[in-house]
Coordinates of all heavy atoms in Angstrom, one line a residue:
S1 N 0.8 -1.2 0.0 CA 0.0 0.0 0.0 C 0.9 1.2 0.0 O 1.9 1.4 0.7 CB -0.9 0.0 1.2 OG -1.6 1.2 1.3
W2 N 0.4 2.3 -0.8 CA 1.1 3.6 -0.7 C 0.3 4.5 0.2 O 0.7 5.7 0.3 CB 1.0 4.2 -2.2 CG -0.3 4.1 -2.9 CD1 -1.3 5.1 -2.9 CD2 -0.8 3.0 -3.6 NE1 -2.4 4.6 -3.6 CE2 -2.1 3.3 -4.1 CE3 -0.3 1.7 -3.9 CZ2 -2.9 2.5 -4.9 CZ3 -1.0 0.9 -4.7 CH2 -2.3 1.3 -5.2
F3 N -0.6 4.0 1.0 CA -1.3 4.8 2.0 C -0.6 4.6 3.4 O -0.1 3.5 3.7 CB -2.8 4.4 2.1 CG -3.6 4.8 1.0 CD1 -3.7 4.0 -0.2 CD2 -4.3 6.0 1.0 CE1 -4.5 4.4 -1.2 CE2 -5.1 6.4 -0.1 CZ -5.2 5.6 -1.2
G4 N -0.5 5.7 4.2 CA 0.0 5.5 5.5 C -0.8 4.8 6.5 O -0.4 4.1 7.4
G5 N -2.2 5.0 6.3 CA -3.1 4.4 7.2 C -3.7 3.1 6.6 O -3.4 2.7 5.4
D6 N -4.7 2.6 7.2 CA -5.4 1.3 6.7 C -6.2 1.7 5.5 O -7.2 2.4 5.6 CB -6.3 0.7 7.8 CG -5.5 0.1 8.9 OD1 -4.3 0.0 8.7 OD2 -6.1 -0.4 9.9
A7 N -5.9 1.1 4.3 CA -6.6 1.4 3.1 C -7.5 0.3 2.7 O -8.1 0.3 1.6 CB -5.5 1.6 2.0
A8 N -7.7 -0.7 3.6 CA -8.6 -1.8 3.3 C -9.4 -2.2 4.5 O -8.9 -1.9 5.6 CB -7.8 -3.0 2.8
A9 N -10.6 -2.7 4.3 CA -11.4 -3.1 5.5 C -12.5 -4.1 5.1 O -12.9 -4.2 4.0 CB -12.1 -1.8 6.0
D10 N -12.9 -4.9 6.1 CA -14.1 -5.7 6.0 C -15.0 -5.3 7.1 O -14.6 -5.3 8.3 CB -13.6 -7.2 6.2 CG -12.8 -7.7 5.0 OD1 -13.4 -7.8 3.9 OD2 -11.6 -8.0 5.1
V11 N -16.2 -5.1 6.7 CA -17.2 -4.4 7.7 C -18.5 -5.2 7.6 O -19.0 -5.5 6.5 CB -17.4 -3.0 7.4 CG1 -18.2 -2.3 8.5 CG2 -16.1 -2.2 7.1
V12 N -19.2 -5.4 8.8 CA -20.5 -6.0 8.8 C -21.4 -5.2 9.7 O -21.1 -5.1 10.9 CB -20.5 -7.5 9.2 CG1 -21.9 -8.0 9.3 CG2 -19.7 -8.3 8.3
F13 N -22.5 -4.6 9.2 CA -23.4 -3.9 10.0 C -24.7 -4.7 10.1 O -25.1 -5.4 9.2 CB -23.9 -2.6 9.3 CG -22.8 -1.5 9.3 CD1 -21.9 -1.3 8.3 CD2 -22.9 -0.6 10.4 CE1 -21.0 -0.2 8.3 CE2 -21.9 0.4 10.4 CZ -21.0 0.6 9.4
A14 N -25.3 -4.6 11.4 CA -26.6 -5.2 11.6 C -27.6 -4.0 11.6 O -27.3 -2.9 12.1 CB -26.7 -5.8 13.0
F15 N -28.7 -4.1 10.9 CA -29.7 -3.1 10.7 C -30.9 -3.5 11.5 O -31.1 -4.6 11.9 CB -30.0 -2.9 9.2 CG -29.2 -1.9 8.5 CD1 -27.8 -2.3 8.2 CD2 -29.6 -0.7 8.1 CE1 -27.0 -1.4 7.5 CE2 -28.8 0.2 7.4 CZ -27.5 -0.1 7.2
E16 N -31.8 -2.5 11.7 CA -33.1 -2.8 12.3 C -33.8 -3.9 11.5 O -33.7 -3.9 10.3 CB -33.9 -1.5 12.3 CG -33.4 -0.4 13.1 CD -34.2 0.9 12.8 OE1 -34.9 1.0 11.8 OE2 -34.0 1.9 13.5
G17 N -34.4 -4.8 12.2 CA -35.1 -5.9 11.6 C -34.2 -7.1 11.2 O -34.6 -8.1 10.7
G18 N -32.9 -7.0 11.5 CA -32.0 -8.1 11.3 C -31.2 -8.2 10.0 O -30.5 -9.1 9.8
V19 N -31.5 -7.2 9.1 CA -30.8 -7.2 7.8 C -29.3 -7.0 8.1 O -28.9 -6.2 9.0 CB -31.3 -6.1 6.9 CG1 -30.6 -6.1 5.6 CG2 -32.8 -6.2 6.7
R20 N -28.4 -7.7 7.4 CA -27.0 -7.5 7.4 C -26.5 -6.8 6.2 O -26.9 -7.2 5.1 CB -26.3 -8.8 7.6 CG -26.6 -9.6 9.0 CD -26.1 -8.8 10.1 NE -26.1 -9.5 11.4 CZ -27.2 -9.5 12.2 NH1 -28.3 -8.9 11.8 NH2 -27.1 -10.2 13.3
F21 N -25.6 -5.8 6.4 CA -24.9 -5.2 5.3 C -23.4 -5.5 5.4 O -22.8 -5.1 6.4 CB -25.2 -3.7 5.3 CG -24.2 -2.9 4.4 CD1 -24.1 -3.2 3.1 CD2 -23.5 -1.9 4.9 CE1 -23.3 -2.5 2.3 CE2 -22.6 -1.1 4.1 CZ -22.5 -1.5 2.8
S22 N -22.8 -6.1 4.4 CA -21.4 -6.4 4.5 C -20.7 -5.5 3.4 O -21.2 -5.4 2.3 CB -21.1 -7.9 4.2 OG -21.6 -8.3 3.0
F23 N -19.6 -4.9 3.8 CA -18.8 -4.1 2.9 C -17.4 -4.6 3.0 O -16.8 -4.8 4.1 CB -18.8 -2.6 3.3 CG -17.8 -1.7 2.6 CD1 -18.2 -1.1 1.5 CD2 -16.5 -1.5 3.2 CE1 -17.3 -0.3 0.8 CE2 -15.7 -0.7 2.5 CZ -16.0 -0.1 1.4
T24 N -16.8 -4.9 1.8 CA -15.4 -5.3 1.8 C -14.8 -4.4 0.7 O -15.3 -4.3 -0.4 CB -15.2 -6.8 1.5 OG1 -13.8 -7.1 1.4 CG2 -15.8 -7.2 0.1
G25 N -13.6 -3.8 1.0 CA -13.1 -2.9 0.0 C -11.6 -2.6 0.3 O -11.0 -2.9 1.3
S26 N -11.0 -2.0 -0.8 CA -9.6 -1.6 -0.7 C -9.4 -0.4 -1.6 O -10.0 -0.4 -2.7 CB -8.7 -2.8 -1.1 OG -7.4 -2.4 -1.3
W27 N -8.5 0.4 -1.2 CA -8.1 1.6 -2.1 C -6.7 1.3 -2.7 O -6.0 2.2 -3.2 CB -8.1 2.9 -1.3 CG -9.2 3.8 -1.7 CD1 -10.0 3.6 -2.7 CD2 -9.5 5.1 -1.2 NE1 -10.9 4.6 -2.9 CE2 -10.6 5.6 -1.9 CE3 -9.0 5.8 -0.2 CZ2 -11.1 6.8 -1.6 CZ3 -9.5 7.1 0.1 CH2 -10.6 7.6 -0.6
C28 N -6.2 0.1 -2.5 CA -4.9 -0.2 -3.1 C -5.0 -1.6 -3.8 O -4.2 -2.5 -3.5 CB -3.7 -0.2 -2.1 SG -4.0 -1.1 -0.6
S29 N -6.0 -1.7 -4.7 CA -6.3 -3.0 -5.3 C -6.3 -2.8 -6.8 O -7.4 -2.7 -7.4 CB -7.6 -3.5 -4.8 OG -7.9 -4.8 -5.4
P30 N -5.1 -2.8 -7.4 CA -5.0 -2.5 -8.9 C -5.5 -3.8 -9.7 O -5.3 -4.9 -9.3 CB -3.6 -2.2 -9.1 CG -2.8 -3.0 -8.0 CD -3.7 -2.9 -6.8
G31 N -6.1 -3.5 -10.8 CA -6.6 -4.6 -11.6 C -8.0 -5.0 -11.4 O -8.4 -5.1 -10.2
L32 N -8.8 -5.1 -12.4 CA -10.2 -5.5 -12.3 C -11.0 -4.7 -11.3 O -11.7 -5.2 -10.4 CB -10.4 -7.0 -12.0 CG -9.8 -8.0 -13.0 CD1 -9.9 -9.4 -12.5 CD2 -10.5 -7.8 -14.4
E33 N -10.8 -3.4 -11.4 CA -11.4 -2.5 -10.3 C -12.9 -2.4 -10.5 O -13.4 -2.6 -11.6 CB -10.7 -1.1 -10.5 CG -9.2 -1.1 -10.2 CD -8.6 0.3 -10.2 OE1 -9.4 1.3 -10.2 OE2 -7.4 0.4 -10.3
T34 N -13.5 -2.2 -9.4 CA -15.0 -2.0 -9.4 C -15.3 -0.5 -9.8 O -14.4 0.3 -9.9 CB -15.6 -2.2 -8.0 OG1 -15.1 -1.3 -7.1 CG2 -15.3 -3.6 -7.5
S35 N -16.6 -0.3 -10.0 CA -17.1 1.1 -10.1 C -16.8 1.9 -8.8 O -16.6 1.3 -7.7 CB -18.6 1.0 -10.3 OG -19.2 2.3 -10.0
W36 N -16.7 3.2 -8.9 CA -16.6 4.0 -7.7 C -17.9 3.9 -6.8 O -17.8 4.2 -5.6 CB -16.5 5.5 -8.1 CG -15.0 5.8 -8.5 CD1 -14.5 6.0 -9.7 CD2 -14.0 6.0 -7.5 NE1 -13.2 6.3 -9.6 CE2 -12.8 6.4 -8.3 CE3 -13.9 6.0 -6.2 CZ2 -11.5 6.6 -7.8 CZ3 -12.6 6.3 -5.6 CH2 -11.5 6.6 -6.4
N37 N -19.0 3.4 -7.4 CA -20.1 3.1 -6.5 C -20.1 1.8 -5.9 O -20.9 1.5 -4.9 CB -21.4 3.1 -7.4 CG -21.7 4.5 -7.9 OD1 -21.7 5.5 -7.1 ND2 -22.1 4.7 -9.1

């Protein structure tokens, strides 16, 4: 990584009603990049 701090993360949120939202991402992942969205 060319970032000084943590540029990647795995996150799981619990929402009201029990829905789970999972986010996995990185800002230092060249190749086959996703949309900015």
